[in-house]
Amino acid sequence: MYKRRLLKLVSTASVICLTTLMLFAQEANYPDTIAAKLKRLESAAEKVTYLNEAAYQFRTSEPALALTLARKAKILSEDDQLLVGKTNITLAQLLLYTGETDSAELLLKEASRIFLTVNDSAQLAKSYFELGTLYYYESKDSLALENFFKALPMLQAMNDLRGLAFLYNNLSNLISYMDDTEGAIDYMLKAIDLKMQLGEEALLGTSYHNLGRLYYQLDNVDLAINYFRMSLRVKKKYNNIKGLAPTYNSLAGIQLKLKRNDSAIFYHQEAIAIDKQLQDTLGLANDVLSLADTYLELGNFSKAAQYSVEALSYAQEPRLVRDTRQVVAQSYQGTGDFRKALEYYQLYMSLNDSLTNADRQKSIDELREKYEAEEKQKEIILLSKENEIAGLELDKTRSQLYLALVAIVLVVGGAFVFVWNTQLKRKLLNEEITNLRNQLNLLLAPGDSQEDLSIEAVNSKLTAPLTEREFEILRLAVSDMNNKEIAETVFLSVHTVKFHLSKIYEKLGVNDRQAALKFIAIK
């Protein structure tokens, strides 16, 4: 581990040295306005401030130039710790855009230490905010929440309305993923209120869209549609073309829920057209896959297969490739092409295993690094106080041994649980593949078994009758199938199955499957 980290440090140092030489050699390649401005500035502090501002300005239009400017600012700021911290934040923001999260995290942690030492609350709040954002994108929810809540009281004390607006927005997104939809709505409304106070209407498009999604999660369709339409108006007004695509997709989801299938397909196609116009490969992969999911839910398996295969041609990120392969397999299974379904299920399983192994190894490495860092810190503390605590050395050594044993048990135990869970998932997927093989070998021979239960018998006891689809899902729900198995059987997404189950339970007047089974068992 230490050798690997040492090698990484040496490599990084080499790159920095080479970059230092190249940056000054390339100064003539800066845009004329930047080069001219730098010549007029005398002090290093002025140049660093200007370079950071210019780097942030070019972060989306010319990311390579932005990184070059920020790295030169980093070199010029080395004699001033405050400037180092500010430059670290700018450089970390740019690296986050390019996906270099490890380097961005190191820079932000260094910045927070600097600002904590010099007692600069404004910059410290900014470093905590950026760290929270980084952890949010990495799905490290607890770390993201911790850093956001560190920044919150500082921004409130300074009455930084703009900073608070962005923080409330991020908190809303984070908390919504933690299943607190009402709390997420509260934070999003606060963010919208502050943006209105600041007169930054252009920023409201995304906030309205996010608020619409939250109301949709609460099944408040009217409010959801209202905020999605408000989002479209703002984005069109300020020519936010890229932002239109996700709002069109959200409207497609609502239209599908309202059984307006043609409108749903129309909105999906609008989103895809924007992705093609912007040559946004990642957007195309996601939006074409959404269209395939819609066709899958509508039972149009040939269209679902067509679009999921197209989505696969755009997908590059491993997890997106994995998820797309699963939809392709489900689509072909629906068309009855079991050979292709089997092929894509096997490809899905292969990639899923490699991703699972990588996640498991990453978890173990993180546990080990955390333990080693804690032990190193304890060792430093013990050495600094060696003369004072000589009589307690034996007890502390025992404590360290116990901590080491506990850490090892946690690492091994966590790895065991991870492996066991992975093997269980693999077993379930193997059963699905075996079933496909059997269906293929038997030339699609039917093997259906029916429960002694009729829709007429159930609906005779209900005020609001079940639809054919709801009855089909109810029959599967009171069997031994879980939501994922039901979804695969009826060719729907797990989210849609959950939605149907909530409506079924509402009509039956029950809260869970056991109660539903008792209800339909009563003559």
Side-chain angles (χ1 to χ4, degrees):
M1 175 61 70
Y2 285 118
K3 288 182 178 178
R4 215 169 35 193
R5 293 173 69 181
L6 180 60
L7 180 59
K8 185 176 180 180
L9 286 171
V10 171
S11 300
T12 303
S14 300
V15 170
I16 290 173
C17 291
L18 289 172
T19 304
T20 302
L21 295 173
M22 293 173 64
L23 285 175
F24 288 100
Q26 292 175 347
E27 184 167 334
N29 295 327
Y30 294 164
D32 293 340
T33 53
I34 295 179
K37 178 73 173 181
L38 284 174
K39 289 179 180 178
R40 289 197 299 270
L41 297 174
E42 297 181 359
S43 70
E46 290 176 320
K47 290 183 178 181
V48 168
T49 301
Y50 174 70
L51 285 168
N52 280 332
E53 291 173 352
Y56 190 77
Q57 177 186 347
F58 287 106
R59 69 190 187 283
T60 54
S61 59
E62 297 184 55
L65 173 61
L67 278 171
T68 299
L69 296 174
R71 283 171 175 153
K72 180 169 184 180
K74 174 80 170 170
I75 294 167
L76 291 173
S77 66
E78 287 182 351
D79 294 332
D80 187 325
Q81 285 296 291
L82 190 60
L83 289 177
V84 169
K86 291 179 179 179
T87 305
N88 278 2
I89 291 178
T90 302
L91 189 52
Q93 289 172 328
L94 298 173
L95 291 173
L96 187 56
Y97 280 122
T98 62
E100 298 177 56
T101 53
D102 290 343
S103 299
E105 182 181 6
L106 290 173
L107 289 167
L108 289 171
K109 284 183 175 179
E110 182 188 6
S112 63
R113 285 194 295 270
I114 291 171
F115 296 132
L116 193 60
T117 302
V118 300
N119 197 27
D120 188 330
S121 297
Q123 293 299 326
L124 183 59
K126 191 173 182 180
S127 62
Y128 285 145
F129 173 82
E130 295 296 340
L131 264 174
T133 303
L134 182 148
Y135 289 132
Y136 166 71
Y137 284 124
E138 288 192 315
S139 299
K140 296 178 179 178
D141 294 344
S142 59
L143 285 173
L145 204 60
E146 175 187 337
N147 281 278
F148 283 150
F149 279 126
K150 282 181 180 179
L152 181 58
M154 297 178 185
L155 294 172
Q156 289 172 332
M158 295 182 293
N159 197 32
D160 182 352
L161 300 186
R162 184 178 176 82
L164 282 170
F166 284 107
L167 181 57
Y168 285 143
N169 192 89
N170 285 10
L171 273 172
S172 175
N173 293 333
L174 175 60
I175 290 175
S176 71
Y177 285 120
M178 300 173 77
D179 297 325
D180 182 4
T181 305
E182 292 181 352
I185 288 174
D186 182 56
Y187 279 119
M188 189 57 68
L189 287 171
K190 288 180 178 179
I192 289 172
D193 180 61
L194 288 174
K195 289 175 183 178
M196 287 180 170
Q197 290 182 45
L198 293 166
E200 297 186 349
E201 185 185 6
L203 299 177
L204 290 174
T206 301
S207 297
Y208 286 146
H209 174 256
N210 290 340
L211 192 55
R213 283 195 306 104
L214 294 170
Y215 279 118
Y216 183 51
Q217 289 175 22
L218 293 179
D219 284 334
N220 193 328
V221 175
D222 291 336
L223 273 178
I225 291 176
N226 179 55
Y227 279 110
F228 287 146
R229 287 175 177 168
M230 289 171 66
S231 173
L232 284 179
R233 284 197 296 271
V234 173
K235 289 175 179 178
K236 287 178 179 179
K237 179 179 178 180
Y238 290 95
N239 201 32
N240 181 4
I241 304 300
K242 186 176 179 63
L244 289 171
T247 306
Y248 280 133
N249 264 328
S250 296
L251 281 168
I254 287 188
Q255 298 302 311
L256 185 64
K257 183 175 183 177
L258 296 174
K259 307 298 181 184
R260 300 170 184 167
N261 301 337
D262 290 341
S263 295
I265 300 300
F266 168 78
Y267 282 123
H268 277 307
Q269 295 287 10
E270 287 290 295
I272 292 169
I274 289 172
D275 295 330
K276 289 181 177 179
Q277 176 188 342
L278 299 176
Q279 298 182 334
D280 182 357
T281 305
L282 178 60
L284 274 171
N286 281 292
D287 293 343
V288 175
L289 181 60
S290 294
L291 179 58
D293 268 327
T294 294
Y295 276 121
L296 194 64
E297 187 165 337
L298 294 174
N300 190 334
F301 302 116
S302 60
K303 284 285 188 182
Q306 173 191 335
Y307 284 108
S308 57
V309 169
E310 181 183 345
L312 196 58
S313 70
Y314 299 123
Q316 297 177 359
E317 196 275 323
R319 284 172 176 76
L320 183 57
V321 172
R322 176 196 61 187
D323 295 342
T324 307
R325 284 176 178 174
Q326 187 177 29
V327 175
V328 174
Q330 290 173 337
S331 302
Y332 278 129
Q333 185 176 353
T335 64
D337 191 339
F338 294 106
R339 289 187 186 279
K340 287 187 176 178
L342 176 61
E343 174 189 346
Y344 280 101
Y345 267 124
Q346 288 173 324
L347 289 170
Y348 161 78
M349 184 178 69
S350 173
L351 183 54
N352 188 57
D353 284 348
S354 66
L355 289 172
T356 302
N357 290 336
D359 288 341
R360 181 182 64 210
Q361 187 59 48
K362 184 177 180 181
S363 297
I364 293 173
D365 288 343
E366 286 176 353
L367 279 171
R368 186 182 290 112
E369 286 180 8
K370 184 177 180 181
Y371 165 70
E372 289 174 351
E374 288 175 352
E375 288 302 297
K376 187 67 177 176
Q377 185 64 27
K378 288 172 187 173
E379 181 182 342
I380 293 170
I381 294 172
L382 286 173
L383 288 173
S384 66
K385 297 185 177 181
E386 186 175 10
N387 294 330
E388 300 176 24
I389 58 173
L392 299 175
E393 276 191 29
L394 182 59
D395 289 339
K396 287 187 180 284
T397 302
R398 287 175 180 168
S399 297
Q400 285 183 306
L401 179 60
Y402 293 148
L403 284 171
L405 289 173
V406 169
I408 291 169
V409 169
L410 285 174
V411 171
V412 175
F416 174 77
V417 170
F418 213 103
V419 171
W420 180 82
N421 187 45
T422 302
Q423 290 176 341
L424 178 61
K425 289 180 180 177
R426 185 183 180 87
K427 179 182 177 183
L428 292 173
L429 193 56
N430 274 328
E431 290 175 359
E432 173 65 26
I433 292 175
T434 301
N435 179 51
L436 282 170
R437 284 199 182 99
N438 291 337
Q439 288 177 287
L440 181 63
N441 293 334
L442 292 174
L443 299 176
L444 316 184
D448 194 26
S449 61
Q450 301 290 335
E451 298 286 344
D452 185 16
L453 177 67
S454 69
I455 188 171
E456 292 79 10
V458 175
N459 281 342
S460 66
K461 297 185 285 183
L462 300 177
T463 304
L466 299 177
T467 65
E468 291 287 345
R469 173 66 92 182
E470 289 173 340
F471 176 70
E472 180 184 11
I473 291 174
L474 172 63
R475 287 181 59 251
L476 298 173
V478 298
S479 69
D480 292 332
M481 286 190 178
N482 57 37
N483 288 348
K484 182 180 178 182
E485 292 169 333
I486 295 173
E488 292 174 352
T489 301
V490 298
F491 308 112
L492 295 176
S493 67
V494 175
H495 175 76
T496 304
V497 169
K498 289 180 180 179
F499 171 74
H500 280 306
L501 284 174
S502 69
K503 294 300 181 184
I504 292 167
Y505 294 156
E506 182 181 341
K507 290 182 179 181
L508 297 183
V510 299
N511 295 318
D512 54 37
R513 296 185 187 204
Q514 184 177 2
L517 180 58
K518 289 180 181 178
F519 178 88
I520 63 177
I522 297 173
K523 301 296 183 182

